[in-house]
Amino acid sequence: MRLTCPLCGPRDRREFTYYGSDDYLRRPALDAPAEDWDAYLHLRDNPAGPTRDLWYHDPCQSWLAVRRDTVTHAVHSVEALDPPPAPAPAAATPAPKRRRRSA
């Protein structure tokens, strides 16, 4: 499979990392109920046919939205995402306490 990067042109699939459905772009609010987070993290469709997926182009570090067909393997469009997807929120952990060295 070949994808056309908007910045670099046609490239082999091996230069890209597949990140899954674009559902990841619709993250629940931080204070959303647990059910919303469970659905967001664990419930995914596995469509046969047209999809819109997230891909990362490793050489130019671009996030892309790829419209493709999972049955025919046809790639219909590739668009750069601006801004890129937000990273997952880091767990709030306190900084480790430093111990004093004894003399």
Side-chain angles (χ1 to χ4, degrees), residues 17-48:
T17 303
Y18 174 74
Y19 276 88
S21 172
D22 72 343
D23 291 342
Y24 286 112
L25 296 176
R26 293 180 287 283
R27 178 185 309 263
L30 290 176
D31 59 350
E35 295 80 21
D36 291 354
W37 278 100
D38 180 56
Y40 171 75
L41 293 171
H42 304 292
L43 302 179
R44 293 279 179 246
D45 291 332
N46 189 12

PDB file of all heavy atoms in Angstrom, residues 17-48:
ATOM      1  N   THR A  17       3.064   4.895  10.585  1.00  0.00           N
ATOM      2  CA  THR A  17       2.574   4.121  11.722  1.00  0.00           C
ATOM      3  C   THR A  17       1.073   4.310  11.800  1.00  0.00           C
ATOM      4  O   THR A  17       0.589   5.446  11.811  1.00  0.00           O
ATOM      5  CB  THR A  17       3.235   4.592  13.035  1.00  0.00           C
ATOM      6  OG1 THR A  17       4.653   4.478  12.896  1.00  0.00           O
ATOM      7  CG2 THR A  17       2.767   3.760  14.215  1.00  0.00           C
ATOM      8  N   TYR A  18       0.357   3.196  11.846  1.00  0.00           N
ATOM      9  CA  TYR A  18      -1.108   3.219  11.909  1.00  0.00           C
ATOM     10  C   TYR A  18      -1.538   3.380  13.360  1.00  0.00           C
ATOM     11  O   TYR A  18      -1.076   2.662  14.235  1.00  0.00           O
ATOM     12  CB  TYR A  18      -1.656   1.920  11.330  1.00  0.00           C
ATOM     13  CG  TYR A  18      -3.143   1.751  11.474  1.00  0.00           C
ATOM     14  CD1 TYR A  18      -4.019   2.480  10.686  1.00  0.00           C
ATOM     15  CD2 TYR A  18      -3.673   0.864  12.398  1.00  0.00           C
ATOM     16  CE1 TYR A  18      -5.392   2.329  10.809  1.00  0.00           C
ATOM     17  CE2 TYR A  18      -5.046   0.701  12.527  1.00  0.00           C
ATOM     18  CZ  TYR A  18      -5.884   1.438  11.729  1.00  0.00           C
ATOM     19  OH  TYR A  18      -7.237   1.290  11.856  1.00  0.00           O
ATOM     20  N   TYR A  19      -2.436   4.339  13.628  1.00  0.00           N
ATOM     21  CA  TYR A  19      -2.891   4.586  14.994  1.00  0.00           C
ATOM     22  C   TYR A  19      -4.359   4.262  15.216  1.00  0.00           C
ATOM     23  O   TYR A  19      -4.854   4.440  16.311  1.00  0.00           O
ATOM     24  CB  TYR A  19      -2.616   6.032  15.403  1.00  0.00           C
ATOM     25  CG  TYR A  19      -1.209   6.191  15.911  1.00  0.00           C
ATOM     26  CD1 TYR A  19      -0.178   6.465  15.052  1.00  0.00           C
ATOM     27  CD2 TYR A  19      -0.925   6.032  17.261  1.00  0.00           C
ATOM     28  CE1 TYR A  19       1.112   6.580  15.505  1.00  0.00           C
ATOM     29  CE2 TYR A  19       0.362   6.150  17.728  1.00  0.00           C
ATOM     30  CZ  TYR A  19       1.380   6.423  16.850  1.00  0.00           C
ATOM     31  OH  TYR A  19       2.666   6.526  17.311  1.00  0.00           O
ATOM     32  N   GLY A  20      -5.069   3.810  14.208  1.00  0.00           N
ATOM     33  CA  GLY A  20      -6.457   3.415  14.399  1.00  0.00           C
ATOM     34  C   GLY A  20      -7.447   4.448  13.888  1.00  0.00           C
ATOM     35  O   GLY A  20      -7.106   5.427  13.229  1.00  0.00           O
ATOM     36  N   SER A  21      -8.677   4.218  14.246  1.00  0.00           N
ATOM     37  CA  SER A  21      -9.783   5.059  13.796  1.00  0.00           C
ATOM     38  C   SER A  21      -9.643   6.496  14.289  1.00  0.00           C
ATOM     39  O   SER A  21      -9.052   6.754  15.333  1.00  0.00           O
ATOM     40  CB  SER A  21     -11.094   4.471  14.315  1.00  0.00           C
ATOM     41  OG  SER A  21     -12.151   5.349  14.068  1.00  0.00           O
ATOM     42  N   ASP A  22     -10.246   7.413  13.540  1.00  0.00           N
ATOM     43  CA  ASP A  22     -10.198   8.816  13.967  1.00  0.00           C
ATOM     44  C   ASP A  22     -11.107   9.068  15.165  1.00  0.00           C
ATOM     45  O   ASP A  22     -11.247  10.197  15.618  1.00  0.00           O
ATOM     46  CB  ASP A  22     -10.523   9.758  12.818  1.00  0.00           C
ATOM     47  CG  ASP A  22     -11.988   9.738  12.412  1.00  0.00           C
ATOM     48  OD1 ASP A  22     -12.707   8.790  12.779  1.00  0.00           O
ATOM     49  OD2 ASP A  22     -12.409  10.676  11.723  1.00  0.00           O
ATOM     50  N   ASP A  23     -11.727   8.018  15.717  1.00  0.00           N
ATOM     51  CA  ASP A  23     -12.495   8.165  16.962  1.00  0.00           C
ATOM     52  C   ASP A  23     -11.625   8.733  18.077  1.00  0.00           C
ATOM     53  O   ASP A  23     -12.128   9.370  18.995  1.00  0.00           O
ATOM     54  CB  ASP A  23     -13.053   6.811  17.435  1.00  0.00           C
ATOM     55  CG  ASP A  23     -14.132   6.279  16.512  1.00  0.00           C
ATOM     56  OD1 ASP A  23     -14.690   7.067  15.737  1.00  0.00           O
ATOM     57  OD2 ASP A  23     -14.399   5.065  16.571  1.00  0.00           O
ATOM     58  N   TYR A  24     -10.322   8.488  17.990  1.00  0.00           N
ATOM     59  CA  TYR A  24      -9.419   8.992  19.017  1.00  0.00           C
ATOM     60  C   TYR A  24      -9.379  10.520  19.064  1.00  0.00           C
ATOM     61  O   TYR A  24      -8.930  11.105  20.027  1.00  0.00           O
ATOM     62  CB  TYR A  24      -8.006   8.450  18.814  1.00  0.00           C
ATOM     63  CG  TYR A  24      -7.886   7.004  19.207  1.00  0.00           C
ATOM     64  CD1 TYR A  24      -7.659   6.021  18.262  1.00  0.00           C
ATOM     65  CD2 TYR A  24      -8.011   6.608  20.533  1.00  0.00           C
ATOM     66  CE1 TYR A  24      -7.561   4.691  18.620  1.00  0.00           C
ATOM     67  CE2 TYR A  24      -7.911   5.290  20.904  1.00  0.00           C
ATOM     68  CZ  TYR A  24      -7.680   4.323  19.940  1.00  0.00           C
ATOM     69  OH  TYR A  24      -7.590   3.019  20.298  1.00  0.00           O
ATOM     70  N   LEU A  25      -9.853  11.176  18.010  1.00  0.00           N
ATOM     71  CA  LEU A  25      -9.884  12.635  17.990  1.00  0.00           C
ATOM     72  C   LEU A  25     -11.061  13.198  18.785  1.00  0.00           C
ATOM     73  O   LEU A  25     -11.119  14.379  19.060  1.00  0.00           O
ATOM     74  CB  LEU A  25      -9.954  13.148  16.549  1.00  0.00           C
ATOM     75  CG  LEU A  25      -8.743  12.825  15.686  1.00  0.00           C
ATOM     76  CD1 LEU A  25      -8.985  13.305  14.262  1.00  0.00           C
ATOM     77  CD2 LEU A  25      -7.485  13.433  16.261  1.00  0.00           C
ATOM     78  N   ARG A  26     -12.008  12.340  19.131  1.00  0.00           N
ATOM     79  CA  ARG A  26     -13.196  12.777  19.871  1.00  0.00           C
ATOM     80  C   ARG A  26     -13.123  12.272  21.318  1.00  0.00           C
ATOM     81  O   ARG A  26     -13.932  11.465  21.761  1.00  0.00           O
ATOM     82  CB  ARG A  26     -14.455  12.290  19.157  1.00  0.00           C
ATOM     83  CG  ARG A  26     -14.637  12.963  17.806  1.00  0.00           C
ATOM     84  CD  ARG A  26     -15.877  12.509  17.076  1.00  0.00           C
ATOM     85  NE  ARG A  26     -15.786  11.159  16.528  1.00  0.00           N
ATOM     86  CZ  ARG A  26     -15.125  10.824  15.431  1.00  0.00           C
ATOM     87  NH1 ARG A  26     -14.461  11.739  14.767  1.00  0.00           N
ATOM     88  NH2 ARG A  26     -15.113   9.586  14.994  1.00  0.00           N
ATOM     89  N   ARG A  27     -12.161  12.766  22.039  1.00  0.00           N
ATOM     90  CA  ARG A  27     -11.903  12.361  23.426  1.00  0.00           C
ATOM     91  C   ARG A  27     -12.958  12.955  24.361  1.00  0.00           C
ATOM     92  O   ARG A  27     -13.318  14.120  24.234  1.00  0.00           O
ATOM     93  CB  ARG A  27     -10.518  12.881  23.817  1.00  0.00           C
ATOM     94  CG  ARG A  27     -10.081  12.622  25.213  1.00  0.00           C
ATOM     95  CD  ARG A  27      -8.751  13.303  25.492  1.00  0.00           C
ATOM     96  NE  ARG A  27      -7.770  12.995  24.504  1.00  0.00           N
ATOM     97  CZ  ARG A  27      -6.850  12.036  24.649  1.00  0.00           C
ATOM     98  NH1 ARG A  27      -6.795  11.345  25.741  1.00  0.00           N
ATOM     99  NH2 ARG A  27      -5.986  11.804  23.696  1.00  0.00           N
ATOM    100  N   PRO A  28     -13.438  12.160  25.335  1.00  0.00           N
ATOM    101  CA  PRO A  28     -14.382  12.712  26.323  1.00  0.00           C
ATOM    102  C   PRO A  28     -13.704  13.777  27.193  1.00  0.00           C
ATOM    103  O   PRO A  28     -12.472  13.807  27.316  1.00  0.00           O
ATOM    104  CB  PRO A  28     -14.761  11.505  27.183  1.00  0.00           C
ATOM    105  CG  PRO A  28     -14.293  10.302  26.451  1.00  0.00           C
ATOM    106  CD  PRO A  28     -13.199  10.741  25.534  1.00  0.00           C
ATOM    107  N   ALA A  29     -14.507  14.610  27.797  1.00  0.00           N
ATOM    108  CA  ALA A  29     -13.971  15.612  28.725  1.00  0.00           C
ATOM    109  C   ALA A  29     -13.351  14.888  29.928  1.00  0.00           C
ATOM    110  O   ALA A  29     -13.728  13.765  30.258  1.00  0.00           O
ATOM    111  CB  ALA A  29     -15.088  16.539  29.194  1.00  0.00           C
ATOM    112  N   LEU A  30     -12.387  15.535  30.562  1.00  0.00           N
ATOM    113  CA  LEU A  30     -11.718  14.912  31.709  1.00  0.00           C
ATOM    114  C   LEU A  30     -12.693  14.545  32.818  1.00  0.00           C
ATOM    115  O   LEU A  30     -12.476  13.567  33.534  1.00  0.00           O
ATOM    116  CB  LEU A  30     -10.630  15.836  32.253  1.00  0.00           C
ATOM    117  CG  LEU A  30      -9.407  16.000  31.359  1.00  0.00           C
ATOM    118  CD1 LEU A  30      -8.449  17.014  31.956  1.00  0.00           C
ATOM    119  CD2 LEU A  30      -8.719  14.671  31.146  1.00  0.00           C
ATOM    120  N   ASP A  31     -13.774  15.294  32.963  1.00  0.00           N
ATOM    121  CA  ASP A  31     -14.744  15.001  34.022  1.00  0.00           C
ATOM    122  C   ASP A  31     -15.933  14.177  33.505  1.00  0.00           C
ATOM    123  O   ASP A  31     -16.944  14.054  34.187  1.00  0.00           O
ATOM    124  CB  ASP A  31     -15.239  16.289  34.667  1.00  0.00           C
ATOM    125  CG  ASP A  31     -15.896  17.227  33.659  1.00  0.00           C
ATOM    126  OD1 ASP A  31     -15.800  16.977  32.436  1.00  0.00           O
ATOM    127  OD2 ASP A  31     -16.493  18.224  34.098  1.00  0.00           O
ATOM    128  N   ALA A  32     -15.795  13.566  32.337  1.00  0.00           N
ATOM    129  CA  ALA A  32     -16.872  12.745  31.773  1.00  0.00           C
ATOM    130  C   ALA A  32     -17.068  11.491  32.625  1.00  0.00           C
ATOM    131  O   ALA A  32     -16.147  11.040  33.304  1.00  0.00           O
ATOM    132  CB  ALA A  32     -16.535  12.352  30.343  1.00  0.00           C
ATOM    133  N   PRO A  33     -18.274  10.923  32.594  1.00  0.00           N
ATOM    134  CA  PRO A  33     -18.533   9.698  33.366  1.00  0.00           C
ATOM    135  C   PRO A  33     -17.641   8.542  32.911  1.00  0.00           C
ATOM    136  O   PRO A  33     -17.166   8.508  31.774  1.00  0.00           O
ATOM    137  CB  PRO A  33     -20.001   9.383  33.071  1.00  0.00           C
ATOM    138  CG  PRO A  33     -20.562  10.562  32.383  1.00  0.00           C
ATOM    139  CD  PRO A  33     -19.439  11.385  31.867  1.00  0.00           C
ATOM    140  N   ALA A  34     -17.441   7.600  33.798  1.00  0.00           N
ATOM    141  CA  ALA A  34     -16.585   6.441  33.516  1.00  0.00           C
ATOM    142  C   ALA A  34     -17.071   5.664  32.293  1.00  0.00           C
ATOM    143  O   ALA A  34     -16.261   5.120  31.532  1.00  0.00           O
ATOM    144  CB  ALA A  34     -16.529   5.529  34.733  1.00  0.00           C
ATOM    145  N   GLU A  35     -18.386   5.616  32.077  1.00  0.00           N
ATOM    146  CA  GLU A  35     -18.933   4.899  30.933  1.00  0.00           C
ATOM    147  C   GLU A  35     -18.447   5.504  29.614  1.00  0.00           C
ATOM    148  O   GLU A  35     -18.177   4.795  28.647  1.00  0.00           O
ATOM    149  CB  GLU A  35     -20.472   4.900  30.960  1.00  0.00           C
ATOM    150  CG  GLU A  35     -21.080   4.154  32.126  1.00  0.00           C
ATOM    151  CD  GLU A  35     -21.075   4.969  33.419  1.00  0.00           C
ATOM    152  OE1 GLU A  35     -20.977   6.218  33.379  1.00  0.00           O
ATOM    153  OE2 GLU A  35     -21.157   4.339  34.488  1.00  0.00           O
ATOM    154  N   ASP A  36     -18.365   6.845  29.562  1.00  0.00           N
ATOM    155  CA  ASP A  36     -17.875   7.509  28.351  1.00  0.00           C
ATOM    156  C   ASP A  36     -16.415   7.156  28.093  1.00  0.00           C
ATOM    157  O   ASP A  36     -16.015   6.912  26.955  1.00  0.00           O
ATOM    158  CB  ASP A  36     -18.029   9.025  28.465  1.00  0.00           C
ATOM    159  CG  ASP A  36     -19.478   9.467  28.440  1.00  0.00           C
ATOM    160  OD1 ASP A  36     -20.366   8.616  28.219  1.00  0.00           O
ATOM    161  OD2 ASP A  36     -19.720  10.671  28.656  1.00  0.00           O
ATOM    162  N   TRP A  37     -15.611   7.141  29.145  1.00  0.00           N
ATOM    163  CA  TRP A  37     -14.201   6.797  28.999  1.00  0.00           C
ATOM    164  C   TRP A  37     -14.037   5.324  28.616  1.00  0.00           C
ATOM    165  O   TRP A  37     -13.181   4.974  27.811  1.00  0.00           O
ATOM    166  CB  TRP A  37     -13.419   7.123  30.270  1.00  0.00           C
ATOM    167  CG  TRP A  37     -13.062   8.567  30.315  1.00  0.00           C
ATOM    168  CD1 TRP A  37     -13.684   9.548  31.012  1.00  0.00           C
ATOM    169  CD2 TRP A  37     -12.007   9.193  29.585  1.00  0.00           C
ATOM    170  NE1 TRP A  37     -13.074  10.756  30.763  1.00  0.00           N
ATOM    171  CE2 TRP A  37     -12.043  10.566  29.893  1.00  0.00           C
ATOM    172  CE3 TRP A  37     -11.036   8.734  28.700  1.00  0.00           C
ATOM    173  CZ2 TRP A  37     -11.134  11.471  29.357  1.00  0.00           C
ATOM    174  CZ3 TRP A  37     -10.145   9.647  28.159  1.00  0.00           C
ATOM    175  CH2 TRP A  37     -10.203  10.991  28.493  1.00  0.00           C
ATOM    176  N   ASP A  38     -14.860   4.452  29.186  1.00  0.00           N
ATOM    177  CA  ASP A  38     -14.798   3.033  28.840  1.00  0.00           C
ATOM    178  C   ASP A  38     -15.101   2.838  27.358  1.00  0.00           C
ATOM    179  O   ASP A  38     -14.383   2.122  26.658  1.00  0.00           O
ATOM    180  CB  ASP A  38     -15.771   2.234  29.703  1.00  0.00           C
ATOM    181  CG  ASP A  38     -15.727   0.760  29.381  1.00  0.00           C
ATOM    182  OD1 ASP A  38     -14.628   0.168  29.458  1.00  0.00           O
ATOM    183  OD2 ASP A  38     -16.786   0.196  29.032  1.00  0.00           O
ATOM    184  N   ALA A  39     -16.147   3.496  26.879  1.00  0.00           N
ATOM    185  CA  ALA A  39     -16.499   3.387  25.461  1.00  0.00           C
ATOM    186  C   ALA A  39     -15.391   3.947  24.579  1.00  0.00           C
ATOM    187  O   ALA A  39     -15.041   3.349  23.557  1.00  0.00           O
ATOM    188  CB  ALA A  39     -17.821   4.113  25.197  1.00  0.00           C
ATOM    189  N   TYR A  40     -14.820   5.067  24.961  1.00  0.00           N
ATOM    190  CA  TYR A  40     -13.755   5.705  24.184  1.00  0.00           C
ATOM    191  C   TYR A  40     -12.519   4.809  24.092  1.00  0.00           C
ATOM    192  O   TYR A  40     -11.903   4.668  23.034  1.00  0.00           O
ATOM    193  CB  TYR A  40     -13.404   7.047  24.818  1.00  0.00           C
ATOM    194  CG  TYR A  40     -12.183   7.706  24.252  1.00  0.00           C
ATOM    195  CD1 TYR A  40     -12.213   8.329  23.012  1.00  0.00           C
ATOM    196  CD2 TYR A  40     -10.987   7.734  24.969  1.00  0.00           C
ATOM    197  CE1 TYR A  40     -11.095   8.954  22.494  1.00  0.00           C
ATOM    198  CE2 TYR A  40      -9.861   8.355  24.462  1.00  0.00           C
ATOM    199  CZ  TYR A  40      -9.917   8.956  23.223  1.00  0.00           C
ATOM    200  OH  TYR A  40      -8.799   9.564  22.716  1.00  0.00           O
ATOM    201  N   LEU A  41     -12.147   4.185  25.202  1.00  0.00           N
ATOM    202  CA  LEU A  41     -10.923   3.400  25.248  1.00  0.00           C
ATOM    203  C   LEU A  41     -11.075   1.975  24.719  1.00  0.00           C
ATOM    204  O   LEU A  41     -10.121   1.417  24.169  1.00  0.00           O
ATOM    205  CB  LEU A  41     -10.398   3.340  26.684  1.00  0.00           C
ATOM    206  CG  LEU A  41      -9.913   4.669  27.253  1.00  0.00           C
ATOM    207  CD1 LEU A  41      -9.635   4.542  28.738  1.00  0.00           C
ATOM    208  CD2 LEU A  41      -8.689   5.154  26.499  1.00  0.00           C
ATOM    209  N   HIS A  42     -12.260   1.379  24.889  1.00  0.00           N
ATOM    210  CA  HIS A  42     -12.370  -0.054  24.641  1.00  0.00           C
ATOM    211  C   HIS A  42     -13.340  -0.478  23.556  1.00  0.00           C
ATOM    212  O   HIS A  42     -13.217  -1.594  23.042  1.00  0.00           O
ATOM    213  CB  HIS A  42     -12.762  -0.764  25.943  1.00  0.00           C
ATOM    214  CG  HIS A  42     -11.817  -0.488  27.057  1.00  0.00           C
ATOM    215  ND1 HIS A  42     -10.523  -0.945  27.069  1.00  0.00           N
ATOM    216  CD2 HIS A  42     -11.964   0.224  28.193  1.00  0.00           C
ATOM    217  CE1 HIS A  42      -9.918  -0.543  28.165  1.00  0.00           C
ATOM    218  NE2 HIS A  42     -10.772   0.182  28.870  1.00  0.00           N
ATOM    219  N   LEU A  43     -14.319   0.336  23.211  1.00  0.00           N
ATOM    220  CA  LEU A  43     -15.326  -0.086  22.235  1.00  0.00           C
ATOM    221  C   LEU A  43     -15.008   0.498  20.865  1.00  0.00           C
ATOM    222  O   LEU A  43     -15.073   1.695  20.652  1.00  0.00           O
ATOM    223  CB  LEU A  43     -16.724   0.357  22.693  1.00  0.00           C
ATOM    224  CG  LEU A  43     -17.155  -0.153  24.061  1.00  0.00           C
ATOM    225  CD1 LEU A  43     -18.539   0.375  24.406  1.00  0.00           C
ATOM    226  CD2 LEU A  43     -17.126  -1.676  24.112  1.00  0.00           C
ATOM    227  N   ARG A  44     -14.653  -0.367  19.932  1.00  0.00           N
ATOM    228  CA  ARG A  44     -14.306   0.075  18.584  1.00  0.00           C
ATOM    229  C   ARG A  44     -15.079  -0.741  17.560  1.00  0.00           C
ATOM    230  O   ARG A  44     -15.262  -1.953  17.719  1.00  0.00           O
ATOM    231  CB  ARG A  44     -12.815  -0.119  18.316  1.00  0.00           C
ATOM    232  CG  ARG A  44     -11.943   0.768  19.145  1.00  0.00           C
ATOM    233  CD  ARG A  44     -11.890   2.155  18.514  1.00  0.00           C
ATOM    234  NE  ARG A  44     -11.076   3.033  19.321  1.00  0.00           N
ATOM    235  CZ  ARG A  44     -11.543   4.073  19.966  1.00  0.00           C
ATOM    236  NH1 ARG A  44     -12.804   4.383  19.909  1.00  0.00           N
ATOM    237  NH2 ARG A  44     -10.759   4.837  20.669  1.00  0.00           N
ATOM    238  N   ASP A  45     -15.493  -0.071  16.499  1.00  0.00           N
ATOM    239  CA  ASP A  45     -16.080  -0.774  15.368  1.00  0.00           C
ATOM    240  C   ASP A  45     -14.954  -1.356  14.527  1.00  0.00           C
ATOM    241  O   ASP A  45     -13.821  -0.866  14.553  1.00  0.00           O
ATOM    242  CB  ASP A  45     -16.894   0.186  14.497  1.00  0.00           C
ATOM    243  CG  ASP A  45     -18.157   0.668  15.198  1.00  0.00           C
ATOM    244  OD1 ASP A  45     -18.673  -0.086  16.058  1.00  0.00           O
ATOM    245  OD2 ASP A  45     -18.608   1.783  14.897  1.00  0.00           O
ATOM    246  N   ASN A  46     -15.259  -2.391  13.784  1.00  0.00           N
ATOM    247  CA  ASN A  46     -14.310  -2.968  12.842  1.00  0.00           C
ATOM    248  C   ASN A  46     -14.993  -2.996  11.483  1.00  0.00           C
ATOM    249  O   ASN A  46     -15.432  -4.036  11.019  1.00  0.00           O
ATOM    250  CB  ASN A  46     -13.901  -4.370  13.300  1.00  0.00           C
ATOM    251  CG  ASN A  46     -12.762  -4.918  12.476  1.00  0.00           C
ATOM    252  OD1 ASN A  46     -12.132  -4.191  11.724  1.00  0.00           O
ATOM    253  ND2 ASN A  46     -12.523  -6.218  12.592  1.00  0.00           N
ATOM    254  N   PRO A  47     -15.110  -1.817  10.841  1.00  0.00           N
ATOM    255  CA  PRO A  47     -15.925  -1.731   9.632  1.00  0.00           C
ATOM    256  C   PRO A  47     -15.283  -2.407   8.423  1.00  0.00           C
ATOM    257  O   PRO A  47     -14.063  -2.402   8.270  1.00  0.00           O
ATOM    258  CB  PRO A  47     -16.040  -0.222   9.399  1.00  0.00           C
ATOM    259  CG  PRO A  47     -14.796   0.327   9.993  1.00  0.00           C
ATOM    260  CD  PRO A  47     -14.491  -0.548  11.185  1.00  0.00           C
ATOM    261  N   ALA A  48     -16.115  -2.987   7.594  1.00  0.00           N
ATOM    262  CA  ALA A  48     -15.693  -3.479   6.290  1.00  0.00           C
ATOM    263  C   ALA A  48     -16.186  -2.444   5.297  1.00  0.00           C
ATOM    264  O   ALA A  48     -17.381  -2.300   5.075  1.00  0.00           O
ATOM    265  CB  ALA A  48     -16.301  -4.844   6.013  1.00  0.00           C
TER     266      ALA A  48
END
